[in-house]
DNA sequence: ATCCCTGCAAACCTTTTGCATGAAT
DNA sequence: ATTCATGCAAAAGGTTTGCAGGGAT
């Protein structure tokens, strides 16, 4: 189905080494330009990674740019994502908390939360200080 | 400083009437095209509204588009939205439940939820049957 | 009268696509 | 041998900008 290529490895390794940081396409291209990866390959691979749920695209408040963040390290279908609107980072909510919220909402609202699809917006611990 | 124009009123009224929903620029343009607003005016006014903190730009998981959401109403800042992915309806979570979730997440994750900005996805009571 | 806003079109920037070549399987 | 990915360049799409005319104050 998919072949392993140098360009893919370069991109994946870079993203995996920086799982908590956010990069715009521009930044990624700049950083990886020396390693030999064309813009079209970059776009195509970013798309593929997004389809596979390995990366997420998001925005920062105040910025008009789109950022990518690696979220492939955990099983994202059983977690709620916490997205900080200040710095743009995405965090995984502990699954115990997520499940207790799910049960709470199911009981009180009759609404069944799809954990993997929902993102909660707010301000993260670091940005609160 | 700023003048009140027909175009601005059209856009603002539209957004205020749909405070829970997210619209792409394309959608807004399509909806408002009949009312007479040019694309450049739309872009400029969206930018201005964003600067004033009246609207937010955000992304949907899986979509490559940018969406705008009106967050200027006091009312919407105090509740979480529940969006049913089956029928598309949007519900307002009871504020008691929303607040208990907010406190729960603050304590356990150190993350301060912005209630008005977050939408939880899942299936509503009616669609579960 | 003095700004500011609009609409148009051009410019600009970002992303996608077609195609031939080369690599992975 | 077949299939897929790449790089290039062109095309397509999205956003910004300069400017002249028209409104808002």
């Amino acid at each position: 189905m998919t072949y392993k290529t140098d360009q893919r490895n370069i991109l994946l390794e870079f993203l995996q080494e920086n799982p908590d940081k956010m990069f715009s396409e521009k930044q990624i291209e700049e950083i990886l330009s020396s390693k030999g990866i064309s813009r079209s390959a970059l776009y195509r691979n970013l798309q593929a990674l997004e389809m596979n749920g390995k990366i997420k695209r998001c925005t920062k408040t105040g910025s008009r740019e789109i950022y990518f963040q690696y979220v492939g390290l955990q099983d994202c279908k059983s977690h709620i994502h916490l997205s900080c609107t200040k710095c743009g980072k995405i965090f995984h909510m502990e699954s115990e908390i997520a499940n207790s919220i799910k049960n709470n909402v199911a009981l009180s609202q009759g609404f069944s939360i799809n954990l993997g699809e929902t993102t909660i917006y707010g301000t993260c611990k670091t940005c609160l200080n």
Side-chain angles (χ1 to χ4, degrees), chain A residues 13-75:
Chain A
E13 278 170 23
F14 167 68
L15 290 170
Q16 287 177 347
E17 282 167 9
N18 299 280
D20 47 348
K21 290 184 189 171
M22 296 176 57
F23 301 95
S24 67
E25 189 277 337
K26 228 182 218 170
Q27 291 175 303
I28 298 176
E29 194 188 346
E30 203 171 306
I31 292 165
L32 299 186
S33 61
S34 61
K35 307 215 169 172
I37 181 167
S38 72
R39 185 171 294 173
S40 48
L42 186 49
Y43 274 104
R44 285 195 259 234
N45 283 323
L46 284 173
Q47 260 186 34
L49 287 171
E50 194 189 4
M51 296 292 182
N52 295 344
K54 298 285 186 189
I55 61 175
K56 284 228 170 209
R57 69 175 60 211
C58 39
T59 54
K60 291 186 190 180
T61 43
S63 167
R64 233 156 271 96
E65 244 173 327
I66 286 186
Y67 295 86
F68 296 94
Q69 184 185 27
Y70 189 74
V71 292
L73 292 179
Q74 300 174 44
D75 181 12

Side-chain angles (χ1 to χ4, degrees), chain A residues 46-114:
Chain A
L46 284 173
Q47 260 186 34
L49 287 171
E50 194 189 4
M51 296 292 182
N52 295 344
K54 298 285 186 189
I55 61 175
K56 284 228 170 209
R57 69 175 60 211
C58 39
T59 54
K60 291 186 190 180
T61 43
S63 167
R64 233 156 271 96
E65 244 173 327
I66 286 186
Y67 295 86
F68 296 94
Q69 184 185 27
Y70 189 74
V71 292
L73 292 179
Q74 300 174 44
D75 181 12
C76 288
K77 290 184 182 171
S78 57
H79 292 80
I80 287 180
H81 290 120
L82 300 172
S83 173
C84 177
T85 57
K86 292 270 189 289
C87 66
K89 284 184 191 168
I90 293 174
F91 304 86
H92 294 249
M93 185 187 290
E94 289 168 20
S95 59
E96 285 177 29
I97 309 293
N99 280 320
S100 86
I101 288 175
K102 188 182 165 81
N103 292 334
N104 189 344
V105 172
L107 279 173
S108 62
Q109 319 285 295
F111 189 94
S112 171
I113 298 181
N114 190 336

